[in-house]
Structures are given as structure tokens and as C-alpha cells.
Amino acid sequence: MAKGISEKIRKKAMGVTAALVIVGFGASAGSLFNWQVVRGEEMSAAALEQSLRSTSLPAMRGTIYDATGTKVLAQSASVWTVVLEPAYLAEDEALRRTVAAGLSQILELDEEELYEKTGDKSSYYTVIKRKIETDVRDQINQFKLEHEIDNGIRLIDDYKRYYPYGTVASNVLGFTGSDNRGLDGLELYYESELSGSAGRLVAAKNGFGTDMPFEYEQIIEAENGYDLILTLDETVQSILEKYLAEGIEKFQVKNGAVAVMMDVKTGGILGLATHPNYDPNDPLTILDQNMLEEIEALPEGEEREEAEDLALHTQWRNKGVSDTYYPGSVYKMCVGAMGLEEGLITETSQYTCTGSVKIEGVDDPIHCWKHAGHGTETFREGLCNSCNPWFMHIGDLLKVETFCKYRESFGFTSKTGIDLPGESGSLYHSESEMGLSDLFVESFGQNFSITPIQMITACAAVANGGHLVQPHVVDRIVDSKGNIVKTADSGYRRQVISEETSRIISDILRQNAASGTARGGYVSGYRICGKTGTSEKVAKHNEDRTKPMEYIASYCGFAPAEDPQYALLVFFDEPGGDDPASNLTGGNAVAGPIFSAIMQEVLPYLGVEVQYTEDEFGQMDTVAPSVTGLTIGEAQEKLKELGLEYDVVGDESDWENRVVEQIPESGSTVPKDGKVVLYTQGYDTDSAFVEVPDFFGYDLVNASYVAAINGLQISVNGSRDAGAVVMMQATPAGDKVKEGTVITLTFAEELNTETYVHLEE
């Protein structure tokens, strides 16, 4: 009986044990399946993360070249990151002190903080300073050599961005941050192309989570970024910036300026200069002295910090792309093209300007800039006179629907899509909102806002046979081997006007630059087509009528007339000031001379052929021959053959004396019937120099007289009309130059045209 009970208990125990074993093993198997199969990938990744340390290795950022492909505008150069390997140092107190003392002095860091970092036994990788230059790297290597330090200090390759030309094209190029990523300009827009792909430094950790020595590291190499070849030419860009700066100073421009040059057939931007600008090597330094003075006048605190932040963003801003402005009368080239294209007018169509136009429902009439009126004039004359009523008449003929159709076709109602960040959209009355007064005022370029890049693009369409181009700054993207990855779209977007309409407008604008209201932009021999603009900042004025009206002075044109190649827009935002020399606001007087000076220097560089008219040929300068090394007598005979006079500085008692120097130099410009000053051995160098006078405001007769009494000569650029006066001089007043030096003067009329009487928006 006892045996039977015992057997039952034994079997029951075995059953319970079996059940427990089955349940236990089942749970274990389930758990094992969950960890190894269901969550296996997750756990493997976690284990790998615990056993590896991964550090990003930067790729070398692509280089940015100008249009020549040889001038580097932005490039990355090698710098280094300094890394401590404390695990190699922690057990050696003397070595820790040596490393801390040496590196703190070289890197200008706190010695005690460095000493603390050398004691971390668990680390083989502690960053102590990034982006050190070559000279600092060499000091560290020398320090390691002197103290026989093999392990404990490492230098890891890194890169830093440099801009070799400083401020040149800064608002186009942009800049990078401390992490080498683009923050503005092309650096931002083409970030993915320039940045490349970062590499990895993968290091092992032991079971205690301690970094393993560098023998256990693996490097995955970075892929360098692509290079950019721009349409922008550094020489053209520098010329634009030089003359823009001169105009700002001369005319005391208060709110910045823009000069942009475009290839009218491709849309490529050859130069885009804006003010204010900055140095992308040091973008946090404010360069504009006026902004600095305003900031320094503020007390320390939040207000000053906000002003500094605003100033930085203002100087970084590309005014040619991100700001809008009233185009003023330069817009008339487009409105005239609309009327011709629709067959509503011809170049001989007539209209009588009485000086103002009265619109039903509007209290005040809209005036022409010439309040007495121009009388009866053809369309050709109306455009050359920049007559506002003529263009109000064209707007009336077009009607709202057709006007808006062409406005859109010229690209004024949408962004151009230029490859730069921050492009602004235009501000205008929609077709449904546009009334008759809006139509009339917009017809001569007021009460709507566009960007400079929209205006130069529309100008290119007027010039190139009527085709709207795609503006762009990057011509092509290439890899490190020079293979082309991508090229810019330089095709036409659409046909806006016919070739015949383009030809007619171009010819009228050529006449306008030669003898109309745009004479300030004239350049002898280059068949300039030009239109001025003087627009009122009505919205700003309406905010505070106690302050005087501010203006935008602009000049937009292209050359050469028979086969346009390059268009240029120059505008100055709020010229004026207390100095009488800068108290001008008209496009012809302010922007015209700058346009002329730029074109006179840029067009020869770009290879545009000179073709002088008969009148121009009779007035043109000649080239100084080489007479250095000749006797005075031989030099005199050579100059006489060319119709040039001469003066001698030094000993002229013996005609056998040799000429050791000449001014102007051989190959330089000398005025027709001018002279060459011959310097002989032993001349008094002090008395040979004269001070350049300030020619501003002189007409041609008086400028010639002032030059003559100072022993100088002048070369005339711009208008030669009786009312023209000096607006720019190539050599600054006060400079010391040698007697006989030729000073290039740009003349223009002091015409403040194209404005109208303060129509409220």
C-alpha cells in the first residue's frame, strides 16, 4: 500500500518536474527567439555602438572659380584638429604636467583645464582645439619631438574656408560657418554640391567602455565636394565694385547701391556688386563706417545688440536679388516695346505733352518732369525726352489686360529663379485690382517694386531680339578631375517681343545715350544704348511727410547697339546729403557717369570692338609714342609728326640730352593736340609732381583751363554738350602726380528728369 502511494507521488513529481522543465525551456526559447530573431538587428546595432566610437571626418569643400577658370574666389585649405589621448598620459604625472604646460602656451588655453583632461584613463580621443593653422601645427610637432612624445597628442586633418579676394563678390559668394557649411550666397545655394560626403573614423572600445588605442581604428575616406565655375569675371566684378564705391562716396548715397552686368544672350552674370558688403573671411566684422558710427552711439545693452545684428544682416544681404525698388523711367524701354509690339504706335507716332495729365476721380494731375510740357513729339522723341505723359498714353492704348500680359511675359510678376538664395518677389497691382491711375503711373515705372535682377533680365530681352533669358551665376559644376557634372541653362525661356521691336527700341536708346536725356552714360566709340531712371520713394515719403522725398537714381543700358552683348544696370538708393557735390538725385547725373566709367573700362576688356563716328574720330584721344632714350631733338621731331606738343623738365640747354622718362608713358592715352612731358637726366623729382585739383562741377572749358594751369591734361568721357559738367574724375583730388599726367573726367548734365509730383499710393 505504501509502495503504491509512493509510486504515485514519484510519477506526479516527475510530471510536475517535466512541466516545469518544458515551461522553463519554452520561456527561454521564446526569449532567445525574441532577442536573436525579432530584435536581433536592434541588439546587434546596440552592441556595435557600445563597442565602437565613430567620428565624422570632414570632406574638402569644392573650390569656386571665376569665369576664367583660373582665379580662385573661394577655397578650402588644410587645418588641423588637436586631439589628446589621455589614456597614454594618465599614469605619468610629469608627462601630464609637461603636455598641459606646453599645449596651453601654444594653443592659448587654460593650463589647469588641460591638465585635468590628461588624467582621463578611459579616453583615447579628447578634442581640445579645432582648425589650427600650419604654424601652430608645426609648433606642436616640434614640441612632441623635443619631449619624445609618441602617443598622447594627435593632429587630425580638417579644412578651413578662405576667400583670396577679400570683399570682392562677397554678397554673391556668401560664407561658411564653423562647421564648414554654407550660410549665405553660393556657399548656401550650392551646399550639397560643394560639401561632398564626410568620412568616418571608427575606433574600438573594450568591455569596460574604454577607448582602444589607434591601432584599432579604421578610416573611411571622405569624398570631396564639386567645384563651381562661375559666369562672374573677377576683373569685371572688381571694376563694378570700384566705381560703385566711388559713386556712393561722391553722391553720399544713404541706402546702398547695386551694379549688375549680364550677357544678354545667355543670361550669365558677369558682375554683381552691391553695397554694403563684407569680408567673407571675417563676416562678423561690420565694414560700413556709417553703420558702425550709429551702433557706437548707442548705449551698451539689448538695443545695441539688436542694431549690431541688423547691421550684419544688412551687409550680408544681396541687394541686387533680395531687395525691391521702384524702377522708374528705365521701365519705359519695356512699355515702349509693348506699344510697338501690339501695333498701337510706331516710332513716328505723335502725342502732345502739355506737362500733366488729369485722371478722372483723381484730385491732382500727374505731371511730366518738364512741367511746361514737351509739346507735340514723336514716340522716338518721347522716349529720348523721357516724357511721362507719352507713356501714360501708351498705357491707355494698351489697357489693363494687355499691359498685365506683357508685364508677366517680361518676368516682372515672378521670381527669375537665379541661382542665389533669398530672391525676393515683386510687388504690384494685380490685373483685377489695377485702376486707370495705377495703369498710368506704372506705365512710367512708379508705384510697383521689382528686383534689380528682374530689371536687367527684362533689359536683356529688349536688347537680344526679344528673348527672355535665365539669369545665372554658375556656368558649370565639375568634379575633382575636371569632368562636367552639370551646366547652366543658357537657353531662351520665351519670346517676349519681336526682333523688329527689339531693333527699334535699341536704336532709340542708342540715340538717347548719344543726344537724349541719357547722355551721362555715353561712351565714345561703343554705341551705348541707355535709359535713365529717377524714381520717387513715395511709400516712404507718405509715412512721414515732414521729411523730404527720397529718390532712386538709376541707369540701365547695353552695348554695342548693332549687336548687343552686355547689359548693365546701376542704381543708387537715396543719393543726397549736405555736401553740394553730392546734392543730386537724377539718374543721368548720378548713375549715368558711373555707368559710363564702368563701360569705358569693361568693354575693352571684354573685347568689344571700337567704332568711332566721324565726330568722335575728330575728338578722340591718341596714343603717346615711345620717346624714352631719344635725344630731346629726336623726341621733338617724333612728337611733331603726330601733332603733339612737348615740355621738357630738367636740362634742355643741350638738345643732345637724352629723355630718361616721359609722361604720359608710351602707349598711354594723350588728348588730341595734347603734349608729352620729357624728363631729362638730373631733373628735380620734388618739383616734377603736382597736386590733382577737384574738377567736380566744372564744364569742359573750365576743366581744361584748371588742368592747364596745374600742368595736367584731361581726357573727356561722357557727354560733350554745353551743359555737361564733371561728375567723376579717375584720379582723386589731392593725389600727387607727375606734370603732364592725363586725368580722365566723366561729364554729364545735371538733369533730374523722369520724376513726377508726389502721387500718393
Side-chain angles (χ1 to χ4, degrees), residues 50-61:
Q50 289 180 354
S51 62
L52 296 177
R53 170 181 50 79
S54 179
T55 303
S56 177
L57 298 178
M60 177 176 279
R61 197 170 178 84

Side-chain angles (χ1 to χ4, degrees), residues 5 127 350 648 666 684 701 738 758 760:
I5 294 172
V127 175
Q350 294 186 332
V648 177
S666 172
D684 184 353
V701 173
K738 283 193 172 181
H758 310 176
E760 293 188 26

Side-chain angles (χ1 to χ4, degrees), residues 129-183:
K129 194 160 187 176
R130 299 182 185 275
K131 298 189 185 301
I132 66 165
E133 305 283 353
T134 303
D135 59 335
V136 178
R137 178 206 63 178
D138 292 344
Q139 291 180 54
I140 292 176
N141 283 333
Q142 182 62 33
F143 172 76
K144 290 175 64 179
L145 185 64
E146 290 175 356
H147 295 278
E148 299 180 349
I149 300 174
D150 295 323
N151 298 318
I153 304 172
R154 295 182 62 189
L155 294 169
I156 296 179
D157 291 343
D158 199 352
Y159 302 102
K160 182 178 179 180
R161 204 65 163 164
Y162 292 95
Y163 302 87
Y165 288 90
T167 59
V168 174
S170 59
N171 299 90
V172 174
L173 296 172
F175 58 96
T176 59
S178 58
D179 59 355
N180 236 17
R181 295 181 63 84
L183 296 180

Side-chain angles (χ1 to χ4, degrees), residues 281-564:
N281 294 297
D282 184 18
L284 297 180
T285 295
I286 300 167
L287 298 185
D288 186 272
Q289 292 303 309
N290 292 329
M291 289 194 293
L292 276 175
E293 290 174 6
E294 292 177 4
I295 292 170
E296 290 171 357
L298 297 173
E300 294 285 349
E302 185 176 344
E303 184 181 2
R304 184 165 182 167
E305 291 175 0
E306 290 177 355
E308 289 175 347
D309 186 63
L310 177 61
L312 285 173
H313 283 84
T314 299
Q315 73 174 14
W316 297 338
R317 190 175 179 86
N318 188 329
K319 194 174 177 69
V321 172
S322 300
D323 286 8
T324 60
Y325 78 113
Y326 294 165
S329 289
V330 296
Y331 189 70
K332 289 172 181 173
M333 67 173 73
C334 299
V335 176
M338 297 176 193
L340 288 171
E341 189 68 19
E342 286 296 302
L344 300 173
I345 59 170
T346 67
E347 59 179 309
T348 58
S349 296
Q350 294 186 332
Y351 174 82
T352 301
C353 169
T354 62
S356 64
V357 174
K358 185 71 172 68
I359 302 175
E360 185 177 352
V362 178
D363 293 337
D364 296 325
I366 303 175
H367 290 272
C368 183
W369 67 268
K370 187 176 182 181
H371 283 209
H374 290 98
T376 300
E377 53 190 344
T378 65
F379 168 66
R380 176 178 283 269
E381 293 168 334
L383 183 51
C384 287
N385 289 331
S386 198
C387 176
N388 289 344
W390 229 117
F391 286 85
M392 288 188 269
H393 172 59
I394 296 174
D396 193 29
L397 294 174
L398 286 166
K399 307 303 181 189
V400 169
E401 182 179 359
T402 305
F403 178 84
C404 291
K405 178 188 75 172
Y406 278 99
R407 186 180 62 180
E408 180 178 353
S409 189
F410 269 113
F412 291 117
T413 59
S414 59
K415 297 179 181 180
T416 66
I418 188 172
D419 49 346
L420 286 170
E423 182 179 9
S424 178
S426 49
L427 302 172
Y428 56 91
H429 295 93
S430 66
E431 182 178 339
S432 61
E433 296 171 337
M434 184 178 288
L436 187 60
S437 62
D438 301 320
L439 173 62
F440 277 21
V441 174
E442 286 198 22
S443 294
F444 57 87
Q446 283 283 167
N447 280 16
F448 70 102
S449 297
I450 60 174
T451 62
I453 202 66
Q454 285 177 315
M455 187 64 240
I456 195 69
T457 305
C459 175
V462 170
N464 67 16
H467 305 281
L468 195 71
V469 294
Q470 174 60 56
H472 57 280
V473 179
V474 173
D475 178 68
R476 59 194 183 276
I477 302 172
V478 299
D479 64 19
S480 58
K481 297 180 180 179
N483 299 312
I484 296 176
V485 176
K486 183 180 180 181
T487 57
D489 177 10
S490 57
Y492 297 142
R493 294 162 63 188
R494 57 179 171 269
Q495 182 96 23
V496 182
I497 55 175
S498 66
E499 290 188 8
E500 178 62 13
T501 296
S502 170
R503 184 195 64 78
I504 293 172
I505 292 292
S506 295
D507 189 61
I508 297 174
L509 294 178
R510 177 202 56 76
Q511 179 181 336
N512 191 36
S515 59
T517 53
R519 296 187 295 274
Y522 176 78
V523 182
S524 178
Y526 284 104
R527 295 88 68 212
I528 296 293
C529 303
K531 184 71 194 77
T532 58
T534 310
S535 50
E536 294 178 325
K537 301 183 73 168
V538 180
K540 183 176 180 179
H541 181 66
N542 287 340
E543 292 174 1
D544 187 353
R545 291 298 191 92
T546 63
K547 295 182 179 178
M549 178 70 74
E550 298 283 5
Y551 298 88
I552 294 172
S554 63
Y555 195 110
C556 188
F558 47 89
E562 70 281 359
D563 182 23

